[in-house]
């Protein structure tokens, strides 16, 4: 092996060994305490809003794997550098390892739900890295030369055979640790899956009204197709036996409920549309599901709300905080702690075992997943996660419409062309949807029936398409008479506005 490559490989192998050891300990204790996930969380928190919006818009749910890949690449580059430094002067390599271990420890302890033991994986990983680096860079003994003779330049690196033998042993240990981490995570996931499959959701005491006849397919979004936007790099797997919901803060009688106790309360079932504030005009981050849950307002009143409270801060098992105006929770019908989605327990990606759901409010201000704590407080006392990053503290969903058919930039045939999509204004309802072709007058679309104002509305119309390039746009009017604004704005800080517009080239 050429000497210049040996230090680089030593650094990479040592870092791999340390990372595998850290991830094994994290998998056995707290998966969120793994150094890569912890550092990823810090990166997400520190990323400017414009960059986050670009990542969501460009990569969708692939943004998190890309982030983890980027962190791994950066770690590999740092490891190679540390390997070179250690080959030149051992203490420089150890300083580099100690620095990265300190950064990883700080990242793990900075997470909102962190506890003292969460630093253990990174500290152990740093120790393993240092030992592996020492073994791969230890100096072979220099033979003494007879008096008056020279042996030439002293060897500074292990000979090729010894290095490869040492590297093989470290690789074997790394593979064993990595395999153990994977097995531990799978075992944890299997246990959580068994917990979820064993849940039997009670029948609602207040079931959802039947869906009216005349709707087109797709009114209800399947669980597998429902959008997911959150900051969790790994989906939390909650231990159902130890899970508790705690209601605290400005209440007279704090409550603690287990999952069976929550299910024993009267449940409601509703079709509700959920909308992410990151949704661009015409974007995909919106869906409608049949939700089952416990009404939240009675729970808070049972706890006894203290005078002066004006915010409910929901916290997840991973420390995410989401703030909702107390008046919204108390006054908006069907705010719930959801336990079911489309007839089954919540999927892990959507908040199992419990998530908060607030109709008519963007998800970042009323739909906390993996819920564990509800704190009754004030806006002056607590800024929730997204408010700290400049998003509006109050976030009612704006009136909007989207074209789903035809798809943009397609070439439909001339003649009768169906144009269809959805529109939404939760809590207010949609009064009218209008479509415009090029500069022609606006035409009213047909609105299909809906079960309530808390869902989107399917709409459709037919246009006699003529050959050539055409522009199609849509706008909605809610039941208060407010027309969806034409002016385009980005999602930040309180939701996008603008008419959804597409272009098609009709074939001759």
């Amino acid at each position: 092996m050429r000497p210049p490559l040996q230090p680089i490989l030593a650094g990479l192998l040592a870092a791999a060994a340390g990372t595998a050891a850290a991830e094994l300990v994290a998998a056995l204790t707290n998966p969120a305490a793994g150094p890569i996930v912890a550092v990823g969380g810090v990166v997400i928190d520190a990323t400017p809003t414009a960059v986050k919006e670009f990542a969501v818009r460009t990569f969708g749910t692939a943004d998190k794997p890309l982030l983890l890949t980027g962190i791994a690449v950066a770690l590999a580059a740092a490891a190679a550098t540390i390997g070179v430094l250690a080959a030149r002067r051992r203490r420089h390599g150890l300083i580099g390892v100690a620095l990265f271990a300190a950064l990883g420890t700080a990242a793990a302890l900075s997470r909102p739900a962190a506890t003292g033991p969460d630093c253990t994986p990174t500290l152990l990983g740093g120790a393993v890295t240092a030992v592996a680096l020492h073994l791969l860079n230890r100096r072979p003994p220099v033979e003494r030369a007879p008096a008056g003779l020279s042996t030439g330049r002293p060897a500074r690196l292990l000979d090729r055979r010894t290095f490869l033998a040492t590297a093989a042993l470290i690789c074997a240990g790394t593979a064993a640790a990595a395999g153990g981490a994977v097995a531990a995570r799978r075992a944890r996931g299997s246990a959580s899956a068994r917990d979820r499959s064993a849940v039997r959701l009670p029948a609602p005491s207040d079931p959802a009204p039947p869906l009216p006849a005349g709707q087109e397919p797709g009114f209800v979004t399947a669980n597998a197709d429902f959008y997911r936007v959150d900051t969790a790099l790994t989906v939390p797997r909650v231990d159902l036996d130890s899970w508790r919901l705690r209601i605290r803060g400005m209440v007279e009688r704090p409550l603690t409920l287990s999952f069976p106790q929550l299910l024993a309360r009267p449940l409601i079932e509703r079709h509700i549309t959920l909308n992410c504030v990151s949704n661009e005009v015409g974007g995909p981050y919106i869906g409608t599901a049949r939700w089952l849950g416990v009404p939240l307002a009675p729970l808070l009143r049972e706890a006894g709300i203290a005078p002066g409270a004006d915010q409910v801060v929901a916290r997840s098992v991973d420390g995410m905080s989401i703030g909702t105006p107390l008046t919204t929770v108390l006054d908006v019908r069907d705010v719930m702690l959801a336990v079911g989605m489309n007839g089954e327990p919540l999927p892990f990606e959507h908040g199992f075992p419990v998530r908060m759901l607030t109709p008519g409010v963007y998800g970042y201000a009323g739909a906390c997943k993996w819920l564990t704590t509800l704190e009754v407080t004030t806006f002056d006392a607590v800024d929730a996660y997204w408010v700290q990053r400049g998003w509006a503290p109050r976030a009612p969903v704006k009136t909007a419409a989207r074209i789903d058919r035809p798809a943009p930039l397609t070439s439909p045939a001339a003649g009768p062309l169906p144009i269809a999509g959805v529109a939404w204004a939760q809590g207010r309802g949609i009064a009218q949807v209008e479509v415009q072709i090029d500069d022609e007058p606006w035409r009213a679309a047909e609105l299909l029936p809906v079960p309530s104002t808390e869902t989107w509305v399917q709409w459709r119309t037919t246009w006699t398409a003529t050959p050539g390039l055409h522009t199609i746009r849509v706008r909605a009017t809610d039941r208060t008479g407010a027309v969806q604004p034409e002016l385009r704005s980005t999602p930040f800080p309180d939701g996008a506005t603008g008419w959804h517009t597409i272009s098609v080239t009709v074939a001759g």
Side-chain angles (χ1 to χ4, degrees):
M1 180 177 297
R2 296 172 59 189
L5 295 179
Q6 187 169 315
I8 294 175
L9 184 56
L12 293 174
L13 290 175
T19 302
E23 292 299 330
L24 174 59
V25 175
L28 294 172
T29 55
N30 176 15
I36 292 181
V37 171
V39 170
V42 172
V43 171
I44 289 176
D45 291 350
T47 300
T49 296
V51 177
K52 288 180 181 177
E53 290 303 298
F54 171 80
V56 171
R57 181 173 62 253
T58 306
F59 304 114
T61 55
D63 58 346
K64 297 174 182 65
L66 285 173
L67 172 61
L68 293 175
T69 300
I71 292 172
V73 170
L75 177 61
T81 302
I82 289 173
V84 173
L85 293 175
R88 295 175 179 175
R89 185 164 294 184
R90 184 178 304 173
R91 70 178 180 182
H92 289 173
L94 293 178
I95 290 172
V97 172
L99 177 61
F100 270 85
L103 291 174
T105 300
L109 293 178
S110 72
R111 309 315 301 143
T115 60
D118 287 344
C119 68
T120 303
T122 300
L123 292 177
L124 179 62
V128 171
T129 300
V131 170
L133 193 61
H134 168 73
L135 293 175
L136 291 166
N137 276 307
R138 68 186 188 275
R139 306 294 188 255
V142 178
E143 294 182 1
R144 293 184 177 273
L149 296 178
S150 172
T151 60
R153 183 173 56 89
R156 294 188 56 80
L157 299 174
L158 290 177
D159 64 88
R160 182 174 181 272
R161 178 177 298 177
T162 305
F163 179 85
L164 291 178
T166 305
L169 289 174
I170 291 175
C171 285
T174 300
V182 171
R185 289 179 184 274
R186 286 180 176 173
R188 184 184 292 266
S190 297
S192 298
R194 288 193 297 270
D195 283 348
R196 180 178 177 273
S197 64
V199 171
R200 297 293 177 264
L201 296 176
S205 57
D206 185 0
L211 290 177
Q215 293 173 336
E216 292 190 349
F219 179 82
V220 174
T221 309
N223 290 356
D225 298 330
F226 212 93
Y227 77 90
R228 178 196 166 198
V229 176
D230 53 54
T231 63
L233 284 172
T234 58
V235 176
R237 296 296 180 109
V238 178
D239 176 43
L240 207 54
D241 291 336
S242 62
W243 178 89
R244 296 292 184 272
L245 172 68
R246 294 174 174 84
I247 300 177
R248 64 185 190 185
M250 297 176 65
V251 295
E252 298 170 359
R253 298 172 294 277
L255 298 177
T256 300
L257 298 171
S258 67
F259 190 65
Q261 288 173 325
L262 195 66
L263 291 187
R265 301 182 71 91
L267 302 179
I268 61 173
E269 183 184 54
R270 297 289 185 268
H271 288 95
I272 295 173
T273 295
L274 185 61
N275 192 358
C276 180
V277 73
S278 296
N279 210 25
E280 297 279 355
V281 173
Y285 301 129
I286 183 170
T288 298
R290 177 166 53 90
W291 304 94
L292 177 72
V294 176
L296 180 52
L299 266 177
L300 296 183
R301 293 191 174 102
E302 183 178 322
I305 302 169
D310 61 6
Q311 180 181 206
V312 177
V313 176
R315 300 185 190 276
S316 72
V317 297
D318 64 349
M320 168 59 68
S321 60
I322 287 180
T324 308
L326 180 60
T327 53
T328 300
V329 174
L330 298 179
D331 297 343
V332 173
R333 190 182 66 175
D334 300 335
V335 177
M336 69 172 77
L337 304 181
V339 296
M341 182 178 182
N342 290 331
E344 63 180 76
L346 290 174
F348 291 111
E349 294 80 4
H350 296 293
F352 180 83
V354 180
R355 74 177 296 166
M356 185 173 165
L357 190 67
T358 307
V361 173
Y362 287 117
Y364 85 94
C368 183
K369 295 189 281 190
W370 311 295
L371 181 66
T372 186
T373 302
L374 292 169
E375 179 185 0
V376 179
T377 182
T378 66
F379 281 102
D380 288 340
V382 179
D383 282 340
Y385 181 90
W386 292 111
V387 176
Q388 294 174 24
R389 288 152 179 81
W391 293 84
R394 293 168 175 81
V397 172
K398 297 180 178 180
T399 302
R402 185 182 74 192
I403 301 168
D404 292 333
R405 299 195 308 274
L409 305 179
T410 54
S411 299
L417 177 66
I419 304 174
V422 290
W424 55 91
Q426 289 100 310
R428 304 180 300 279
I430 294 293
Q432 181 176 251
V433 172
E434 298 171 286
V435 175
Q436 185 182 49
I437 311 298
D438 299 325
D439 294 323
E440 297 178 2
W442 289 91
R443 63 179 73 194
E446 175 190 1
L447 302 183
L448 304 186
V450 293
S452 75
T453 61
E454 304 297 357
T455 69
W456 58 15
V457 175
Q458 293 175 314
W459 58 265
R460 64 190 179 194
T461 188
T462 301
W463 165 52
T464 303
T466 57
L469 177 65
H470 296 279
T471 299
I472 306 173
R473 58 182 62 89
V474 64
R475 69 183 182 189
T477 303
D478 66 29
R479 292 185 183 177
T480 70
V483 180
Q484 176 184 349
E486 177 183 6
L487 181 65
R488 283 270 184 142
S489 67
T490 62
F492 184 80
D494 59 357
T497 62
W499 296 341
H500 188 207
T501 303
I502 67 169
S503 295
V504 296
T505 302
V506 178

